[in-house]
Amino acid sequence: MKRERRQRQDDEFSAFVAGYGHRLLRLAELLTGDPDRAKDIVQSALERAYLNWHRITSDDPSAYVRRIVVNQHRDWWRRLRNHELPTEQTPDQPFPEDLAERLAERALLHQALGTLTRRERTVVVLRYYGDLAEADIAAELGIAPGTVKSTLHRAMAKLRALPQLADRSGGTTDPTTRIEVTV
C-alpha cells in the first residue's frame, strides 16, 4: 500500500515535470538571465518540491513550485551579494610599509617582552598597548598605583638594557630614550 502510494506520487511528479518543467525553466532564465544558472535553480526547486510532493498535490502544484523557483533565485541573489566578485583590477591597496620589517619588529617585541616577569609584561602591555593610565592599570590588576609605577620603571629599564633593542644606527639606546614598537 505504501509502495503503491509512493509510486503514484512519483508518477504524478514526473508528469508534472514533463508538462510544466519547460515553463519553470523559462521563468528561471528570465529571472537570472543565465541559462545554466536557471537550470541549477530549477533543479534545486524540483528537489525541494519532490520532497514535499505529498503536500503540494492538494493545492495548485504549479504555483507552489513556481514560488520555490522565485525563492531559490532570491536566495541565490542574497548569497551573491555576500561573496567576493571578480574584477579586472585588484581593489587592494599596496601595503605602505615593508611587511617583512614590520613582522621582524613584532617578533623582536615579543622576544623582549618574554624577558620580563608576568607582572612587568602585563603592566607594560596595558600601559603602552592598551593605552591605560597608571590608575586604571592599578584598578584592573588590584594593586596600588605606586606598584604600577615602580613595576613599569623596572620593566622599561630592563627593555632599554636589551642589546636587541639597540637603536638602528648600531649604538645602544640612551636610558631616557623611549622605546616605540608598533604592533
Side-chain angles (χ1 to χ4, degrees), residues 134 138 142-149:
E134 291 163 349
I143 57 177
T147 306
V148 171
K149 288 180 185 181

Side-chain angles (χ1 to χ4, degrees), residues 101-121:
E101 185 177 326
R102 188 169 181 189
L103 291 175
E105 285 182 356
R106 184 176 290 177
L108 179 65
L109 174 64
H110 286 284
Q111 181 183 8
L113 287 174
T115 64
L116 302 176
T117 66
R118 186 172 41 203
R119 179 182 277 185
E120 289 171 341
R121 186 171 47 247

Side-chain angles (χ1 to χ4, degrees), residues 1 14 40 48 50 52 59 61-62 77 91 110-111 125 132 135 138-139 142 144 159 163 170-172 182:
M1 174 112 168
S14 296
D40 291 341
R48 287 184 181 207
Y50 179 76
N52 296 305
D59 297 333
S62 59
W77 188 251
H110 286 284
Q111 181 183 8
V125 169
L132 295 179
L159 291 174
T172 57
T182 58

Side-chain angles (χ1 to χ4, degrees), residues 56-69:
I56 295 173
T57 55
S58 60
D59 297 333
D60 179 17
S62 59
Y64 192 91
V65 178
R66 188 174 52 245
R67 187 68 184 160
I68 295 174
V69 168

